[in-house]
C-alpha cells in the first residue's frame, strides 16, 4: 500500500523540521540602531598578556642595582630583561588598543588582579598614553618614558605627558584610562614599573614583577 | 583553358578562412584590452610596468543606483575578489607581491576567507536591514550570516587594514566584539515575564590567538532576573592571518522575572570573565602559546552586552 511508503518519509521530515526549529530562537529584543562593541589589543614586539615583565636590572635611572628601589623600568617580554626583548621605546608601544566597533568607547583599566599581593612600597605601575608613534622620549637619552612622572598627576584619562599610578593603595579597578576613543581609532598605552623601596634593609635577589593583563 | 593563377605561385599561401580567423582574434583581443582598461583604470600603467594600483573603494553609495533594491543588495555584499588585499599590502610594505603570501603565512589571498561558510544569497539585504534597525528576528540567522566578517559594521573600513597596512612590530593578542551589544525589551507582569536575546560574539579583527570566553551576568542582574546563557563558555578562534572556522559564536541569553522584582527600568549587564580552569587547561594544552583568555585588564567601559528591560 502506498501510504506505507509515505509514513517513514513524513516521520523523517518531522524529525528534520524539529532539528531545524531547535537551531533557531524566537527573540523578543529590539534596538534603535544595533551597536557593535569591539576592540583589538595588540602588543609590541614579543610582549603579550603574560609576557610582560618589569625587571629592575633594566632600570634607566642609573640605579640598576637589584635592591628594589629603581624607577623608570620599561616592560620586557623576558623575565631576564635585556635590550633585545624590550617592548617599549620612542618608536614602539607595548600595548595598543584599536576600537574596531561602530561606537565611540571609553577604555577602562582594571589592575586589581595584577597588583594583588603587592604592598604599597612595592611595584607602582605608571601608565600614560603613547604619542601615536611610540612612548615618547622623557628623560635625557632615554627612550619611551615620555609620560613618566615621579609623582603621577593624572587622576583620570592619561595623556602623553601625564601618567596614572596604580598600586595597592591607589584605586585599581575600573579606572578610566582613555576617553572617547572613536570607532576605527587606536591609542597606545605605555608603562613604567617603578620599585618604590624595600621592606626594611637591602634585599638580595631579583625583583622581577610580572604584570599580566589577564584578570585572574 | 589557362589555369587560374594560384596564390601558391609565390610560395606564400594564406586561405580566406585563415584571414577571417586572424581578424576575429585581433578584434576579440582589442575588445578584451578595452574592457580591461575600463574596469581597471590603472590597467594601462600596470601594463607599462608602473606600480600605481588604485583599489576600488569599499564604500557603496546609494546614489550610484537608480533602483534602490540594487543598493540594498550591494552595500553589504562581500566582494572578496575585489579587495585586492595582497596588492595593497605589497604597495604598503614596498615588497614584491610574490612575497606577500609568505609574509602572511598563506598560499594565496583567498585563503583568508577559505574556512568560512558559504555566504547566504540574501546576505547583503539582511545585513543592511539589521544595521538599519529594521530586522530584529536575528534568531533565525545561521552561520551563513554571522560567520561572514562583512556582517559586522566596520569590517571593510577597520578590519581589512590588518592586511592592507600590516605592522609587524605589533601582534593581536586579545579582542572581541558583541553585536548587537545593547538591546531592549518590555516585560509585563502576568502577561510576558521572560525574554530571549541573541548576541553574536566574535573575535575582533587582527587577533592571532585562541581566546577562551565565559559570559557571566552581574550580581545585580541575577538579583532581579533568572538568566541563562548558552553557550556560557566557548572558544573564539583567530581572525588573522585568516578567519578560522569558529571565529564567531551565536549566544542565546534568556531571562525571567523573579517573583519579587518590582516594576521599573533595569539594566542587565553581562561581563566576560576567565573561563573555568578545566576548560583553560584543555585549551592551553592544545593551543599552547596561542591560547589566551579573552578577558583582559583593558577593555571598553561598560558591559560588552547589556539589556535595558522595562518591567511593567
Amino acid at each position: 500500500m502506498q501510504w506505507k511508503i509515505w509514513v517513514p518519509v513524513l516521520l523523517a521530515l518531522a524529525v528534520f523540521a524539529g532539528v531545524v526549529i531547535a537551531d533557531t530562537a524566537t527573540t523578543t529584543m529590539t534596538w534603535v540602531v544595533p551597536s557593535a562593541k569591539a576592540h583589538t589589543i595588540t602588543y609590541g614586539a614579543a610582549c603579550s598578556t603574560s609576557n610582560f615583565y618589569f625587571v629592575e636590572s633594566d632600570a634607566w635611572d642609573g640605579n640598576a642595582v637589584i635592591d628594589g628601589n629603581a624607577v623608570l623600568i620599561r616592560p620586557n617580554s623576558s623575565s631576564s630583561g635585556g635590550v633585545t626583548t624590550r617592548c617599549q621605546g620612542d618608536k614602539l608601544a607595548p600595548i595598543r588598543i584599536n576600537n574596531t566597533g561602530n561606537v565611540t568607547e571609553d577604555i577602562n583599566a582594571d589592575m586589581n588582579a595584577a597588583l594583588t599581593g603587592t604592598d604599597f612600597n612595592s611595584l607602582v605601575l605608571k601608565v600614560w598614553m603613547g604619542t601615536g608613534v611610540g612612548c615618547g622620549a622623557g628623560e635625557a637619552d632615554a627612550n619611551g618614558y615620555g609620560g613618566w612622572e615621579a609623582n603621577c598627576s593624572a587622576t583620570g584619562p592619561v595623556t602623553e605627558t601625564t601618567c596614572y599610578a596604580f598600586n595597592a593603595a591607589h584605586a585599581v579597578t575600573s579606572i578610566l584610562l582613555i576617553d572617547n576613543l572613536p570607532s576605527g581609532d587606536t591609542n597606545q598605552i605605555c608603562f613604567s614599573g617603578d620599585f618604590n623601596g624595600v621592606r626594611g634593609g637591602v634585599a638580595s635577589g631579583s625583583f622581577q614583577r610580572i604584570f599580566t593583563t589577564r584578570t585572574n | 583553358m589557362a589555369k587560374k593563377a594560384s596564390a601558391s605561385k609565390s610560395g606564400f599561401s594564406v586561405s580566406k578562412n585563415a584571414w577571417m580567423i586572424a581578424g576575429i582574434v585581433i578584434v576579440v583581443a582589442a575588445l578584451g584590452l578595452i574592457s580591461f582598461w575600463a574596469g581597471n583604470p590603472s590597467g594601462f600603467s600596470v601594463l607599462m610596468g608602473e606600480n600605481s594600483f588604485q583599489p576600488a573603494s569599499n564604500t557603496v553609495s546609494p546614489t550610484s543606483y537608480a533602483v534602490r533594491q540594487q543598493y540594498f543588495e550591494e552595500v553589504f555584499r562581500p566582494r572578496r575578489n575585489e579587495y585586492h588585499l595582497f596588492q595593497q599590502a605589497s604597495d604598503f610594505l614596498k615588497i614584491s607581491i610574490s612575497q606577500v603570501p609568505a609574509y602572511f603565512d598563506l598560499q594565496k589571498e583567498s585563503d583568508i576567507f577559505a574556512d568560512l561558510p558559504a555566504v547566504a544569497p540574501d546576505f547583503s539585504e539582511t545585513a543592511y536591514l539589521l544595521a538599519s534597525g529594521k530586522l530584529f528576528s536575528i534568531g533565525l540567522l545561521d552561520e551563513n550570516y554571522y560567520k561572514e566578517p562583512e556582517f559586522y559594521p566596520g569590517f571593510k573600513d577597520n578590519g581589512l587594514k590588518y592586511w592592507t597596512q600590516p605592522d609587524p612590530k605589533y601582534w593581536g593578542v586579545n579582542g572581541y566584539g558583541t553585536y548587537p551589544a545593547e538591546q531592549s525589551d518590555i516585560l509585563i507582569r502576568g502577561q510576558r515575564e521572560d525574554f530571549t536575546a541573541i548576541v553574536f560574539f566574535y573575535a575582533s579583527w587582527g587577533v592571532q590567538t585562541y581566546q577562551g570566553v565565559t559570559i557571566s551576568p552581574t550580581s545585580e542582574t541575577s538579583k532581579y532576573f533568572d538568566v541563562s546563557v548558552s553557550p556560557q563558555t566557548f572558544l573564539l578562534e583567530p581572525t588573522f592571518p585568516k578567519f578560522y572556522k569558529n571565529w564567531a559564536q551565536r549566544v542565546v541569553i534568556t531571562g525571567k522575572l523573579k517573583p519579587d522584582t518590582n516594576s521599573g527600568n533595569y539594566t542587565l549587564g553581562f561581563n566576560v570573565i576567565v573561563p573555568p580552569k578545566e576548560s583553560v587547561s584543555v585549551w592551553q594544552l592544545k593551543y599552547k602559546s596561542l591560547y589566551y583568555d579573552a578577558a583582559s585588564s583593558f577593555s571598553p567601559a561598560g558591559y560588552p552586552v547589556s539589556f535595558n528591560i522595562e518591567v511593567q
Side-chain angles (χ1 to χ4, degrees), chain A residues 22-51 91-102 105-114 127 133-134 176-177 183-186 188-189 191 211-216, chain B residues 130-140 142 152-154 158 161-162 167-185 192 194-198 202 204-207 250 252 272-274 292-305 307-309:
Chain A
D23 199 36
T24 61
T26 302
T27 56
T28 62
M29 314 296 276
T30 62
W31 44 82
V32 177
V33 175
S35 57
K37 292 186 72 169
H39 66 286
T40 296
I41 302 177
T42 56
Y43 283 72
C47 272
S48 70
T49 309
S50 51
N51 291 348
K91 291 182 176 57
L92 181 68
I95 290 179
R96 296 188 316 178
I97 293 187
N98 178 206
N99 181 351
T100 55
N102 67 345
E105 295 278 15
D106 292 335
I107 303 297
N108 275 4
D110 182 348
M111 305 297 183
N112 188 51
V127 184
V133 175
L176 176 60
L177 209 58
S183 170
D185 208 356
T186 299
Q188 299 170 317
I189 303 177
F191 299 81
F211 166 71
T212 172
T213 56
R214 295 198 308 264
T215 58
N216 63 336
Chain B
L130 174 57
S132 304
K134 295 177 183 175
L135 174 68
F136 303 109
S137 304
I138 58 176
L140 301 175
D142 59 23
Y152 301 92
N158 299 329
K161 286 180 183 175
Y162 283 90
D167 189 346
K169 295 201 303 291
Y170 300 93
W171 71 297
V173 177
N174 288 108
Y176 55 83
T178 55
Y179 182 58
E182 192 171 332
Q183 305 184 29
S184 304
D185 202 353
R192 182 167 70 85
D194 52 30
F195 66 83
T196 301
I198 296 280
Y202 58 99
S204 186
W205 322 131
V207 174
R250 189 180 87 143
V252 181
V272 171
I273 63 173
V274 177
Y292 287 88
D293 300 329
S296 167
S297 291
F298 301 101
S299 61
Y303 306 115
V305 177
F307 299 151
N308 300 309
I309 305 286

Side-chain angles (χ1 to χ4, degrees), chain A residues 106-131:
Chain A
D106 292 335
I107 303 297
N108 275 4
D110 182 348
M111 305 297 183
N112 188 51
L115 296 175
T116 298
T118 304
D119 66 31
F120 181 76
N121 283 327
S122 200
L123 181 67
V124 176
L125 192 65
K126 295 181 178 176
V127 184
W128 63 93
M129 186 184 293
T131 63

Side-chain angles (χ1 to χ4, degrees), chain B residues 232-295:
Chain B
Q232 187 172 28
T233 295
F234 51 89
L235 186 75
L236 291 177
E237 297 186 340
T239 57
F240 188 88
K242 69 172 200 174
F243 285 92
Y244 284 67
K245 190 179 174 191
N246 294 311
W247 72 279
Q249 175 73 49
R250 189 180 87 143
V251 177
V252 181
I253 301 178
T254 57
K256 187 176 171 58
L257 279 176
K258 287 196 166 175
D260 52 354
T261 300
N262 297 323
S263 300
N265 293 308
Y266 297 84
T267 297
L268 280 61
F270 296 83
N271 285 319
V272 171
I273 63 173
V274 177
K277 286 184 181 176
E278 313 84 65
S279 300
V280 172
S281 57
V282 169
W283 291 329
Q284 280 180 332
L285 188 64
K286 184 173 183 180
Y287 300 108
K288 299 181 176 54
S289 300
L290 286 184
Y291 172 77
Y292 287 88
D293 300 329

Side-chain angles (χ1 to χ4, degrees), chain B residues 85-128:
Chain B
L85 301 176
F86 280 11
Q87 180 63 63
Q88 293 187 66
S90 169
D91 294 344
F92 180 81
L93 297 167
K94 294 180 173 46
I95 62 175
S96 164
I97 193 170
S98 63
Q99 296 175 281
V100 174
Y103 181 88
F104 289 117
D105 196 24
L106 298 171
Q107 298 295 318
K108 51 190 182 305
E109 183 170 326
S110 58
D111 288 349
I112 296 172
F113 307 102
D115 287 353
L116 300 178
V119 178
D122 61 347
F123 175 87
S124 180
E125 280 186 274
T126 302
Y128 177 79

Side-chain angles (χ1 to χ4, degrees), chain B residues 27-42:
Chain B
V27 168
V28 168
L31 286 172
L33 211 54
I34 292 169
S35 171
F36 173 68
W37 283 334
N40 184 358
S42 64

Side-chain angles (χ1 to χ4, degrees), chain B residues 25 55 61 68 71-72 86 92 95 101 120 138 151 157 173 203 208 227 230 258 266 290 309:
Chain B
V25 168
S61 170
R68 280 296 177 270
Y71 167 69
F72 300 143
F86 280 11
F92 180 81
I95 62 175
I138 58 176
F151 182 72
D157 293 327
V173 177
Q208 301 186 28
V227 294
S230 177
K258 287 196 166 175
Y266 297 84
L290 286 184
I309 305 286

